[in-house]
């Protein structure tokens, strides 16, 4: 207590005792005893002198005088002193002051009207209700023979209604203990009249004196069983209309991968209105136990029941009953204090409109002392806007706003100052007064915090239970086992503090060798402590509540959840100015840099840019898609990872995963669409790409959208940001290599590459599909090439047969005929007969030529010179047919070009690109035709090559195919490829929804 307040109290005491003729000896003695408890011996005279100077001299007898109100001067002093106290002390301290004033008056039983008038004035100024001030007065006046028991005064004696106190009563029949509860501040006072010595937390209590009862205290006689704070606090709470809650854990065991024991046969039995703590050294299983109790982890053996319902097998029956606050932040950094709580409430109460939700949130913020901070961003722990204590309270408020019946918290005071820690624990303590059950892991609590708990579990290494019961009693229990001096005293006799560290010092005491050095070996192992506790305190399970556990949860519809998730995510992104600026400028800046650098003018003596001559257009197409891939991955790679803690909390609400994922995906798709629009709008005009904006935008957007889903899968599957950003290049590089832009597919390693078709591994690369789509579209769908494409198509297809395929077939026939004449043709050495057979069959069935009648004779046994001449004549006929097609196609093309030369020339310069056509035609490919699996494969002009229809779902073709077969029909390559990537994107979403990658990593033990 501060010097200023203590001086004010001395004056207030003096003003009361000076009324009615003056101060009596017992009243001064009370003040002296009061100062003795508050101050050192050296400081007492100063304050006692202040009291004496204001109270006057001691009178010998109690004068009888008529009522006279205090003088004006005294009244002014009283009001001044009360206002000074009012500003400094909290409400609990004011109640204690009022109690001490009445106790001082009770020292000589002088309850005169003058004195009571001052005390009533003090109560009014302190804003203590009339009912509570009367209860305090009644409690002070209680005597040994008093029998009355009221709603706020509990009598512990032969006829006590405190069912948990019977053990003491049996041993001490003359026990009379009175307990007063002041509900407004949840404060307990105690006085006793007993024939035997009664102690509280190991300290003796004087008969008839009034004591405040610290939270977690225990009362005991020298040889009696203790009465715990929770015993009489639960008695008062039982009178309130709370829903019954029972949490029962039976024989919980948990083993980590690698056979490390996390929990070993843990039993718990708790009910509503209880604040339970879990203590233990690092690695003792505190968080593991909390996760098992809350349903996050499923124990290897054993079960957890809430009101008789198994939380792991019947999770749906306890929706909304459990709340969980992990040690880490659950806050969205870029949202305000109000918005964080508002969206949490929106996901819990579907029946409340916006106004009702706002009022609910504001009331919660006011009760938590956060209302003035409602419009501040919460920031991050490293970039603080609100204090650490405020962050913790807000984290807890996210759960409290829906009022779960059971709240689990993992180290809620970690990293906080002592004052902030006490504020947080006060908040949790208040929850128990509302009938909630609160279970929290606590690390190195102060004395004040430790005494707040009703029950404490102490875990040792391997999840062994070393103690489970009353907190203060824990110190006595361990000190007795360690045979310490004054082992029956739980708290310091001088200051009343408790040091929980003593428990761990005793548990971890090491054996000392003959030289006085610690050996590193504990005197008692964790199993020894657990066995000792079980022998002394056999497990007694409470009777489980039978009614359904209460839940205020009212989850919105899936569509409403999607809207809330979308709005929350969007507001969080908009609030981050850096994010908004990067989103708006990243794509256009990259587009400008790329397009400006590669805007190439072929003629060094000219300053006129010609699109046709720019050799960098294919590179631009490839790089624009890589930019799309990069932006799509980067914007999504941390989206779910950074929400992971929030998702762990929201799993207790049983929210729809699909709504969350669709909201997250929808916003990312909008961002990717904006990226694509800004990139194309700036880069394409710089490079003179005309009339293809929709195709470029769609290809860019489709690539980014697929990358978004890849990024979300990565984000949901890996446990650290470092891992995520290691994975991103591992994803990008294969997509770059296997896109078809950097290396031709037929020039890859033979175990990967393929002839005539795109390798299978490349078929799962979205960049392959969008690069091919955009290259083919730019090649044949621009304003120039779409006018001449069909002419060149017919010419190219016929020329391939006439100039390549048939001539190669004729060469193969010559080689086979030569082998036959030399006697080298047989079943073992069939030369090219299989190739000739397949090619002749392909030409004649079905085909424009007459069928070759002797196809079945093309085998080693029946081949002869006559058959060879017959095949050669058929080949000559085919050559004439296809040469005629080539000639007629060239004539039609020349007629069209000559007739439209003036129109086509500028179109060709502005829309046709020579370098791009060199690539899609494979103009410089030395091997124009390949022999593969006894057939010829065309290896040039892929843009003119029409793929075969092999089956309804056989859509795999060569690279740069102008058409794709599907369901027996041909589809334009651009349309098909874009659609295929979107199907791939949908598949990635399903992969994400069912969390398949994460499950596989868990199965492999990589997560």
């Amino acid at each position: 207590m501060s010097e200023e307040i203590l001086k004010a109290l001395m004056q207030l005491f003096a003003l009361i005792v000076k009324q009615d003729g003056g101060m009596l000896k017992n009243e001064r003695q009370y003040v002296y005893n009061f100062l003795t408890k508050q101050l050192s011996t050296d400081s007492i005279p100063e304050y006692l002198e202040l009291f004496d100077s204001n109270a006057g001299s001691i009178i010998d007898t109690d004068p009888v005088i008529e009522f006279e109100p205090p003088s004006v001067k005294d009244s002014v002093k009283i009001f001044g002193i009360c206002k000074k106290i009012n500003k400094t002390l909290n409400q609990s301290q004011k109640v204690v002051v009022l109690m001490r004033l009445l106790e001082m008056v009770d020292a000589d039983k002088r309850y005169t009207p003058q004195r009571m008038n001052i005390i009533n004035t003090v109560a009014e100024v302190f804003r203590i209700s009339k009912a509570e001030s009367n209860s305090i007065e009644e409690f002070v006046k209680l005597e040994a023979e008093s029998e009355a028991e009221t709603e706020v005064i509990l009598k512990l004696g032969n006829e006590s209604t405190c069912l948990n106190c019977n053990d003491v009563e049996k041993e001490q029949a003359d026990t009379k203990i009175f307990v007063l509860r002041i509900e407004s501040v949840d404060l307990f006072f105690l006085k006793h009249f007993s024939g035997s010595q009664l102690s509280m937390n190991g300290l003796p209590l004087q008969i008839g004196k009034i004591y405040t009862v610290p939270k977690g205290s225990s009362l005991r006689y020298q040889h009696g069983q203790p009465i715990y704070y929770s015993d009489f606090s639960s008695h008062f709470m039982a009178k309130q209309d709370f829903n019954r809650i029972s949490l029962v854990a039976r024989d919980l065991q948990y083993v980590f991968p690698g056979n490390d024991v996390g929990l070993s046969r843990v039993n718990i039995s708790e009910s509503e209105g209880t604040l339970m703590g879990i203590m233990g050294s690092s690695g003792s299983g505190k968080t593991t136990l909390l996760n098992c109790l809350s349903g996050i982890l499923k124990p290897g053996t054993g079960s957890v029941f809430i009101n008789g319902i198994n939380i792991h097998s019947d999770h749906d029956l306890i929706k909304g009953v459990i709340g969980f606050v992990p040690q880490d932040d659950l806050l969205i950094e870029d949202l305000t204090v109000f918005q964080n709580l508002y969206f949490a409430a929106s996901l819990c109460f579907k029946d409340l409109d916006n106004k009702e939700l706002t009022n609910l949130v504001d009331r919660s913020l006011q009760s938590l002392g956060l209302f003035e901070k409602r419009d501040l961003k919460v920031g991050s722990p490293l970039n603080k806007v609100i204090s650490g204590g405020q962050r913790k309270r807000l984290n807890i408020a996210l759960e409290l706003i829906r009022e779960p019946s059971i709240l689990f918290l993992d180290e809620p005071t970690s990293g906080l100052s002592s004052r902030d820690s006490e504020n947080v624990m006060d908040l949790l303590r208040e929850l128990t007064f509302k009938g909630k059950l609160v279970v929290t892991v606590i690390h190195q609590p102060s004395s004040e915090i430790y005494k707040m708990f009703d029950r404490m579990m102490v875990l040792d290494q391997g999840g062994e239970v070393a103690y489970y019961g009353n907190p203060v009693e824990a110190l006595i229990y361990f000190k007795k086992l360690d045979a310490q001096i004054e082992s029956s005293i739980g708290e310091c006799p001088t200051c009343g503090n408790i040091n929980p560290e003593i428990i761990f010092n005793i548990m971890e005491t090491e054996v000392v060798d003959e030289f006085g050095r610690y050996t590193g070996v504990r005197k008692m192992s964790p199993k020894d402590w657990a066995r000792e506790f079980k022998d002394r305190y056999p497990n007694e399970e409470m009777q489980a509540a039978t009614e359904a556990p209460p839940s205020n949860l009212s989850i919105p519809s899936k569509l409403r959840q999607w809207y809330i998730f979308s709005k929350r995510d969007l507001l969080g992104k908009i609030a981050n100015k850096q994010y908004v600026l990067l989103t708006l400028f990243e794509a256009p800046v990259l587009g400008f840099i790329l397009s400006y650098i590669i805007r190439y003018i072929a003629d060094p003596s000219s300053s006129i840019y010609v699109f046709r001559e720019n050799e960098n257009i294919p590179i631009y197409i490839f790089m624009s898609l890589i930019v799309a891939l990069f932006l799509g991955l980067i914007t999504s790679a941390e989206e779910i990872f950074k929400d992971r803690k929030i998702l762990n909390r929201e799993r207790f609400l049983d929210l729809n995963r699909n709504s969350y994922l669709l909201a997250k995906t929808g916003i990312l798709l909008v961002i990717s669409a904006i990226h694509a629009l800004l990139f194309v709008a700036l880069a394409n005009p710089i490079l003179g790409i005309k009339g293809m904006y929709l195709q470029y935008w769609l290809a860019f957007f489709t690539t980014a959208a697929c990358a978004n889903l890849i990024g979300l899968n990565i984000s949901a599957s890996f446990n650290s940001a470092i891992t995520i950003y290691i994975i991103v290049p591992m994803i990008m590089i294969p997509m770059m290599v296997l896109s078809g832009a950097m290396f031709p597919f037929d020039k890859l390693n033979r175990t990967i590459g393929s002839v005539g078709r795109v390798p299978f591994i490349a078929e799962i690369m979205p960049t392959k599909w969008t690069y091919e789509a955009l290259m083919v579209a730019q090649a044949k769908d621009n304003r120039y090439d779409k006018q001449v494409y069909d002419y060149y198509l017919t010419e190219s297809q016929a020329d391939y047969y006439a100039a390549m395929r048939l001539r190669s077939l004729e060469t193969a026939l010559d080689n086979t005929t030569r082998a036959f004449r030399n006697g080298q043709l047989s079943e073992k050495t069939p030369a090219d007969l299989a190739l000739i057979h397949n090619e002749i069959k392909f030409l004649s069935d079905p085909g424009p030529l007459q069928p070759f009648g002797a196809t079945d004779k093309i085998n080693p046994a029946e081949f002869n010179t006559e058959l060879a001449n017959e095949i050669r004549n058929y080949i000559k006929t085919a050559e004439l047919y296809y040469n005629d097609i080539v000639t007629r196609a060239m004539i039609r093309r020349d007629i069209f070009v000559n007739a439209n030369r003036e129109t086509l020339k500028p179109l060709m310069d502005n829309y046709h690109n020579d370098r791009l056509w060199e690539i899609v035609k494979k103009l410089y490919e030395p091997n124009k035709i390949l022999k593969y699996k006894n057939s010829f494969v065309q290896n040039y002009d892929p843009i003119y090559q029409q793929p075969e229809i092999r089956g309804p779902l056989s859509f795999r073709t060569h690279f740069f195919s102008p058409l794709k077969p599907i369901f027996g029909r041909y589809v334009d390559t651009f349309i098909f490829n874009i659609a295929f990537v979107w199907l791939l994107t949908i598949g990635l979403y399903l992969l994400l929804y069912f969390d398949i990658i994460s499950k596989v990593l868990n199965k492999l033990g990589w997560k």
Side-chain angles (χ1 to χ4, degrees):
M1 193 173 293
S2 70
E3 179 183 356
E4 185 180 4
I5 292 300
L6 202 52
K7 287 181 178 179
L9 283 175
M10 291 301 100
Q11 294 180 63
L12 192 58
F13 284 165
L15 288 171
I16 291 175
V17 299
K18 71 181 290 188
Q19 308 299 320
D20 305 319
M23 170 178 56
L24 295 177
K25 184 176 181 180
N26 286 344
E27 292 171 339
R28 188 180 186 281
Q29 184 62 41
Y30 174 85
V31 173
Y32 178 81
N33 293 339
F34 175 82
L35 290 172
T36 303
K37 294 178 182 179
Q38 300 290 329
L39 302 170
S40 64
T41 306
D42 295 338
S43 301
I44 292 175
E46 177 187 352
Y47 292 95
L48 194 60
E49 183 180 352
L50 177 62
F51 171 77
D52 290 338
S53 63
N54 284 275
S57 58
I58 299 174
I59 60 175
D60 294 329
T61 58
D62 186 0
V64 180
I65 59 175
E66 295 182 2
F67 171 74
E68 291 183 8
S71 67
V72 175
K73 183 178 179 182
D74 286 348
S75 297
V76 170
K77 274 189 176 182
I78 291 168
F79 274 105
I81 294 169
C82 289
K83 286 182 178 180
K84 183 184 295 185
I85 294 173
N86 228 1
K87 292 178 182 179
T88 308
L89 301 184
N90 60 38
Q91 195 62 23
S92 296
Q93 291 169 319
K94 294 173 193 174
V95 170
V96 174
V97 168
L98 183 64
M99 176 67 76
R100 298 311 174 200
L101 292 176
L102 281 164
E103 192 177 18
M104 182 186 65
V105 172
D106 189 68
D108 270 306
K109 312 297 182 185
R110 297 179 67 196
Y111 292 97
T112 63
Q114 293 94 324
R115 296 183 174 206
M116 294 309 299
N117 184 51
I118 295 175
I119 290 176
N120 291 336
T121 300
V122 171
E124 289 177 11
V125 175
F126 285 176
R127 295 182 180 178
I128 299 172
S129 69
K130 187 67 175 174
E132 289 188 338
S133 64
N134 288 341
S135 298
I136 294 172
E137 181 181 346
E138 180 182 357
F139 184 75
V140 171
K141 292 179 178 179
L142 286 174
E143 299 292 344
E145 62 274 8
S146 299
E147 298 294 338
E149 184 174 53
T150 67
E151 290 292 323
V152 295
I153 298 177
L154 171 67
K155 177 186 174 186
L156 308 181
N158 295 335
E159 299 176 0
S160 171
T161 56
C162 180
L163 300 179
N164 298 328
C165 309
N166 290 335
D167 291 337
V168 174
E169 292 163 24
K170 289 175 183 176
E171 295 195 21
Q172 302 293 337
D174 60 343
T175 297
K176 284 189 178 179
I177 304 172
F178 296 97
V179 179
L180 167 69
R181 184 196 183 200
I182 304 300
E183 184 177 358
S184 63
V185 291
D186 193 54
L187 197 60
F188 289 90
F189 294 94
L190 177 144
K191 67 190 304 186
H192 80 104
F193 302 94
S194 304
S196 300
Q197 180 63 57
L198 179 67
S199 64
M200 180 166 62
N201 303 329
L203 302 178
L205 302 180
Q206 296 182 33
I207 295 175
K209 299 297 182 182
I210 297 175
Y211 297 87
T212 57
V213 184
K215 295 177 175 66
S217 297
S218 61
L219 306 174
R220 65 166 64 225
Y221 289 92
Q222 188 173 0
H223 302 292
Q225 294 295 322
I227 301 175
Y228 297 120
Y229 178 91
S230 56
D231 291 335
F232 49 80
S233 65
S234 61
H235 168 81
F236 287 106
M237 293 185 65
K239 297 180 180 180
Q240 302 181 41
D241 188 19
F242 292 139
N243 292 297
R244 283 273 291 120
I245 291 291
S246 62
L247 172 67
V248 176
R250 297 176 186 154
D251 294 330
L252 294 187
Q253 290 185 294
Y254 188 86
V255 179
F256 293 105
N259 295 323
D260 291 331
V261 178
L263 295 175
S264 179
R265 300 186 66 83
V266 177
N267 291 280
I268 289 176
S269 184
E270 296 295 347
S271 62
E272 76 281 355
T274 303
L275 177 58
M276 175 188 168
I278 302 172
M279 287 178 60
S281 58
S282 297
S284 59
K286 303 186 296 296
T287 300
T288 303
L289 174 57
L290 198 72
N291 289 338
C292 287
L293 293 175
S294 60
I296 294 176
L297 283 180
K298 186 175 182 179
T301 59
S303 303
V304 180
F305 299 90
I306 294 177
N307 287 24
I309 299 171
N310 189 311
I311 69 169
H312 294 100
S313 60
D314 301 313
H315 177 72
D316 290 343
L317 300 178
I318 57 166
K319 289 181 182 178
V321 174
I322 294 174
F324 184 81
V325 181
Q327 183 178 353
D328 300 316
D329 262 348
L330 300 172
L331 307 177
I332 301 175
E333 297 174 6
D334 293 312
L335 295 182
T336 64
V337 170
F338 173 84
Q339 288 171 332
N340 269 275
L341 201 51
Y342 176 85
F343 284 114
S346 299
L347 292 168
C348 297
F349 305 110
K350 67 178 181 181
D351 299 322
L352 300 183
D353 58 26
N354 184 62
K355 184 178 180 181
E356 291 171 325
L357 283 172
T358 301
N359 291 336
L360 174 63
V361 172
D362 284 343
R363 287 198 303 272
S364 298
L365 292 175
Q366 286 173 337
S367 67
L368 293 168
L370 295 172
F371 187 78
E372 294 180 355
K373 309 289 184 181
R374 72 191 300 274
D375 296 321
L376 294 178
K377 274 189 185 182
V378 299
S380 66
L382 297 178
N383 184 23
K384 292 183 179 179
V385 178
I386 59 176
S387 70
Q390 290 166 340
R391 294 180 70 87
K392 280 293 183 183
R393 277 181 280 161
L394 184 56
N395 272 290
I396 296 171
L398 296 177
E399 290 296 308
L400 296 191
I401 198 163
R402 65 180 177 87
E403 297 187 355
S405 299
I406 304 177
L407 183 62
F408 296 96
L409 303 100
D410 191 1
E411 298 199 23
T413 61
S414 176
L416 300 184
S417 67
S418 58
R419 186 61 195 157
D420 283 335
S421 297
E422 289 182 18
N423 288 338
V424 168
M425 293 306 300
D426 281 338
L427 175 62
L428 300 180
R429 188 68 204 170
E430 288 176 13
L431 288 179
T432 62
F433 304 152
K434 299 176 182 178
K436 310 299 181 184
L437 170 58
V438 180
V439 181
T440 177
V441 170
I442 195 74
H443 183 65
Q444 293 182 339
S446 66
S447 173
E448 291 300 319
I449 289 176
Y450 184 79
K451 290 191 288 186
M452 288 184 183
F453 288 94
D454 299 310
R455 302 268 280 176
M456 183 63 70
M457 175 172 281
V458 180
L459 293 178
D460 206 346
Q461 296 299 316
E464 298 283 358
V465 180
Y467 178 81
Y468 177 42
N470 180 267
V472 177
E473 192 71 18
L475 275 82
I476 298 173
Y477 169 79
F478 282 102
K479 288 167 73 175
K480 283 184 176 179
L481 288 180
D482 197 42
Q484 292 191 7
I485 299 173
E486 296 182 339
S487 59
S488 61
I489 298 178
E491 63 181 27
C492 174
T494 304
C495 62
N497 286 337
I498 293 175
N499 183 11
E501 197 66 28
I502 293 174
I503 295 174
F504 299 104
N505 292 339
I506 294 172
M507 286 172 56
E508 297 173 4
T509 301
E510 296 179 1
V511 176
V512 179
D513 64 15
E514 63 272 20
F515 302 106
R517 293 176 299 193
Y518 289 110
T519 61
V521 179
R522 286 173 47 168
K523 284 185 176 180
M524 289 184 67
S525 69
K527 289 188 179 297
D528 292 335
W529 284 114
R531 191 181 305 110
E532 188 72 35
F533 175 74
K534 288 174 184 177
D535 291 343
R536 292 172 178 265
Y537 297 93
N539 180 50
E540 295 182 6
E541 186 177 304
M542 64 177 291
Q543 184 176 359
T546 55
E547 61 267 29
S551 172
N552 296 327
L553 196 61
S554 179
I555 299 297
S557 66
K558 295 178 182 178
L559 182 61
R560 178 68 180 171
Q561 289 181 51
W562 169 83
Y563 172 77
I564 295 169
F565 285 131
S566 298
K567 186 177 180 182
R568 182 178 75 177
D569 200 25
L570 183 60
L571 288 177
K573 285 178 167 55
I574 292 174
N576 188 329
K577 294 180 181 179
Q578 288 184 350
Y579 184 89
V580 172
L581 290 173
L582 285 174
T583 299
L584 292 176
F585 291 105
E586 187 173 24
V589 167
L590 290 175
F592 173 78
I593 293 172
L594 176 62
S595 59
Y596 184 80
I597 290 173
I598 65 174
R599 183 182 164 90
Y600 167 67
I601 299 175
D603 186 354
S605 63
S606 174
S607 61
I608 299 174
Y609 173 79
V610 180
F611 172 74
R612 176 186 174 183
E613 299 172 350
N614 191 344
E615 298 182 14
N616 296 319
I617 295 304
I619 298 173
Y620 166 73
I621 291 174
F622 171 65
M623 286 305 300
S624 66
L625 296 175
I626 297 304
V627 169
L629 179 69
F630 172 75
L631 293 180
L633 284 170
I634 290 300
T635 54
S636 61
E638 276 196 69
E639 285 294 308
I640 296 177
F641 171 77
K642 69 182 182 182
D643 287 350
R644 183 164 297 177
K645 296 163 189 173
I646 299 172
L647 292 175
N648 284 338
R649 180 185 70 83
E650 291 177 345
R651 67 176 291 186
F652 291 100
L653 307 181
D654 201 29
L655 298 176
N656 186 261
R657 177 176 172 81
N658 197 38
S659 297
Y660 169 80
L661 293 177
L662 284 175
K664 187 68 72 175
T665 304
I667 289 177
L668 289 174
L669 292 182
V670 170
I671 293 171
S672 293
I674 294 171
H675 280 159
L677 180 64
L678 296 175
F679 185 94
V680 171
L682 190 66
N684 277 27
I686 293 175
L687 292 174
I689 300 174
K690 299 179 180 179
M692 301 289 290
Y693 290 104
L694 179 61
Q695 289 91 330
Y696 276 80
W697 175 84
L698 192 55
F700 189 111
F701 173 50
T702 301
T703 306
C706 190
N708 287 155
L709 267 298
I710 294 172
L712 288 177
N713 273 280
I714 294 172
S715 184
S717 304
F718 295 94
N719 293 330
S720 73
I722 295 175
T723 304
I724 288 171
Y725 286 106
I726 291 174
I727 293 292
V728 166
M730 292 179 64
I731 295 290
M732 287 191 64
I733 291 173
M735 289 190 184
M736 294 170 65
V737 172
L738 293 171
S739 65
M742 299 178 68
F743 308 101
F745 288 130
D746 57 347
K747 303 293 192 296
L748 300 179
N749 188 302
R750 289 184 180 181
T751 59
I752 297 174
S754 61
V755 177
R757 288 195 294 182
V758 173
F760 179 79
I761 190 172
E763 300 282 20
I764 61 175
M765 302 294 168
T767 48
K768 170 265 169 185
W769 293 93
T770 51
Y771 176 70
E772 180 186 39
L774 206 48
M775 288 287 285
V776 170
Q778 178 64 61
K780 72 183 186 66
D781 294 335
N782 63 75
R783 284 186 61 189
Y784 168 76
D785 285 297
K786 70 181 178 181
Q787 297 185 56
V788 298
Y789 177 79
D790 288 339
Y791 297 105
Y792 286 105
L793 174 67
T794 305
E795 179 186 343
S796 174
Q797 290 177 345
D799 183 68
Y800 164 68
Y801 280 93
M804 291 291 171
R805 192 165 194 167
L806 292 173
R807 289 182 183 178
S808 298
L809 180 59
E810 195 170 3
T811 301
L813 180 62
D814 291 342
N815 294 335
T816 303
T817 303
R818 191 179 301 111
F820 172 75
R821 288 172 179 169
N822 295 333
Q824 298 174 346
L825 189 67
S826 65
E827 291 289 345
K828 293 184 178 180
T829 56
D832 290 326
L833 272 179
L835 171 69
I836 295 169
H837 175 275
N838 292 339
E839 287 296 311
I840 292 296
K841 186 175 182 181
F842 175 80
L843 288 170
S844 63
D845 185 28
L849 303 175
Q850 290 293 326
F852 183 75
T855 307
D856 294 340
K857 294 183 178 181
I858 305 176
N859 59 71
E862 299 182 66
F863 186 83
N864 53 46
T865 304
E866 183 181 348
L867 179 61
N869 291 333
E870 190 177 346
I871 295 171
R872 185 172 285 105
N873 291 334
Y874 189 81
I875 293 173
K876 293 294 184 183
T877 303
E879 285 181 348
L880 291 173
Y881 173 80
Y882 284 110
N883 278 325
D884 181 60
I885 294 175
V886 171
T887 302
R888 284 188 279 118
M890 291 174 67
I891 293 170
R892 288 197 305 271
R893 182 198 68 197
D894 291 341
I895 292 172
F896 174 78
V897 171
N898 290 330
N900 298 278
R901 186 175 301 279
E902 292 184 4
T903 305
L904 291 176
K905 180 62 172 71
L907 288 177
M908 188 176 189
D909 288 342
N910 292 324
Y911 292 91
H912 177 89
N913 184 265
D914 291 340
R915 177 55 184 158
L916 184 141
W917 270 94
E918 290 174 3
I919 292 173
V920 297
K921 290 183 67 176
K922 298 181 74 171
L923 190 63
Y924 301 110
E925 172 59 48
N927 302 313
K928 303 292 184 182
I929 190 167
L930 302 173
K931 187 168 68 172
Y932 180 69
K933 291 185 178 180
N934 294 320
S935 291
F936 288 121
V937 178
Q938 182 178 345
N939 199 32
Y940 75 103
D941 277 2
I943 191 66
Y944 294 130
Q945 185 182 350
Q946 184 169 307
E948 295 180 47
I949 297 177
R950 299 184 179 90
L953 294 177
S954 181
F955 55 83
R956 292 181 63 199
T957 66
H958 62 279
F959 200 46
F960 296 136
S961 172
L963 300 170
K964 293 295 175 73
I966 188 74
F967 302 124
R969 301 180 61 183
Y970 285 110
V971 179
D972 181 80
T973 291
F974 182 84
I975 296 173
F976 182 89
N977 284 18
I978 295 299
F980 184 87
V981 177
W982 278 105
L983 284 174
L984 188 62
T985 304
I986 293 171
L988 287 167
Y989 180 83
L990 294 176
L991 203 67
L992 174 66
Y993 177 75
F994 292 107
D995 206 17
I996 292 174
I997 296 177
S998 185
K999 291 176 181 177
V1000 170
L1001 292 176
N1002 277 327
K1003 193 76 174 177
L1004 296 173
W1006 293 354
K1007 190 173 180 180

